Amino acid sequence: EVQLVDSGGGLVQPGGSLRLSCAASGFTFSNYAMTWVRQAPGKGLEWVSTISGGGSTYYADSVKGRFTISRDNSKNTLYLQMNSLRPEDTAIYYCAKDRGWQSEVPDYWGQGTLVTVSS
Amino acid sequence: SSELTQDPAVSVALGQTVRITCQGDRLRSYYASWFQQKPGQAPVLVIYGNNNRPSGIPDRFSGSYSGNTASLTITGAQAEDEADYYCNSRDSSGNHLVFGGGTKLTVL
């Protein structure tokens, strides 16, 4: 059974940093692209970033240069390093497994972790 | 603004058929997928590749497309289908995912 456990969220001041983690199990982690999607309170889904099975990375314009996605295949863990955080980054952040090695479509999602950026 | 346009809200009588649509020029080039999200829960993939259903998704869910419009059809809507539905595809670069604004489905 595919399981994704998101963690690392919390309250941070504007300009601060946070690192999210996503522990994966139930599938061969290195064979699949992984994605972060966020959802601001009461709003829709927004794609944030994707890393392919080969390590190629892609970012939404809204986070490019501030966020870094990475993966540790030996630990079956996905990360999202978030720097220079802004109030508009406040959201639930979901990690998701992709259907393929390259980005295709997220087919399993974690439960999400809440990031609140506020002073 | 989203490159994929959805109606904000749709309603359907219990047991009837409802179609939720998603419009965008990118849909002429890239597949559409659909996600169901219930309050307080993570999204669930219900349709991928325009018209493929993941295992475990009831066969009352189906997908189709024509031109710049993708559709999610629920045939015989159930009370448990009440949820937000998001379409998903790619932007012009092909490397970035995009989501529609979402459609709130109410089952009457």
Side-chain angles (χ1 to χ4, degrees):
Chain A
E1 178 192 5
V2 172
Q3 286 199 327
L4 299 167
V5 179
D6 305 315
S7 62
L11 175 63
V12 61
Q13 293 188 339
S17 298
L18 213 54
R19 188 177 82 156
L20 306 184
S21 299
C22 171
S25 61
F27 63 101
T28 305
F29 182 73
S30 59
N31 285 357
Y32 295 91
M34 297 293 294
T35 288
W36 288 99
V37 175
R38 68 185 181 184
Q39 187 170 34
K43 302 297 184 182
L45 301 175
E46 180 187 14
W47 172 75
V48 173
S49 181
T50 294
I51 184 167
S52 74
S56 297
T57 58
Y58 309 95
Y59 298 95
D61 290 344
S62 58
V63 306
K64 196 168 187 178
R66 301 187 299 123
F67 289 12
T68 301
I69 191 172
S70 62
R71 63 192 300 159
D72 186 335
N73 290 339
S74 67
K75 295 182 178 180
N76 290 346
T77 302
L78 175 72
Y79 302 101
L80 185 68
Q81 177 67 44
M82 304 186 296
N83 298 330
S84 303
L85 282 161
R86 305 166 179 167
E88 55 265 36
D89 295 319
T90 294
I92 296 173
Y93 285 73
Y94 296 100
C95 79
K97 167 193 167 294
D98 204 281
R99 275 184 44 83
W101 191 74
Q102 288 284 0
S103 174
E104 184 181 325
V105 63
D107 59 354
Y108 288 93
W109 298 57
Q111 85 285 358
T113 186
L114 176 62
V115 172
T116 303
V117 184
S118 174
S119 54
Chain B
S1 63
S2 175
E3 297 183 36
L4 298 176
T5 302
Q6 298 182 240
D7 291 329
V10 170
S11 62
V12 61
L14 183 67
Q16 297 303 300
T17 296
V18 62
R19 176 175 292 181
I20 299 170
T21 61
C22 175
Q23 288 189 302
D25 286 341
R26 301 281 75 81
L27 297 176
R28 298 182 187 277
S29 305
Y30 299 108
Y31 291 130
S33 299
W34 291 91
F35 296 89
Q36 176 194 69
Q37 187 181 32
K38 298 180 180 179
Q41 298 183 18
V44 172
L45 179 67
V46 295
I47 293 289
Y48 67 94
N50 284 336
N51 55 13
N52 298 288
R53 203 170 46 249
S55 61
I57 301 300
D59 61 6
R60 63 179 180 272
F61 290 88
S62 63
S64 61
Y65 73 100
S66 177
N68 73 335
T69 301
S71 300
L72 172 69
T73 300
I74 307 174
T75 304
Q78 302 300 301
E80 60 263 34
D81 299 333
E82 188 163 286
D84 294 327
Y85 290 86
Y86 295 91
C87 64
N88 161 253
S89 188
R90 298 182 171 279
D91 73 353
S92 55
S93 75
N95 292 321
H96 295 188
L97 300 181
V98 291
F99 288 93
T103 297
K104 182 176 183 60
L105 175 67
T106 300
V107 180
L108 303 172

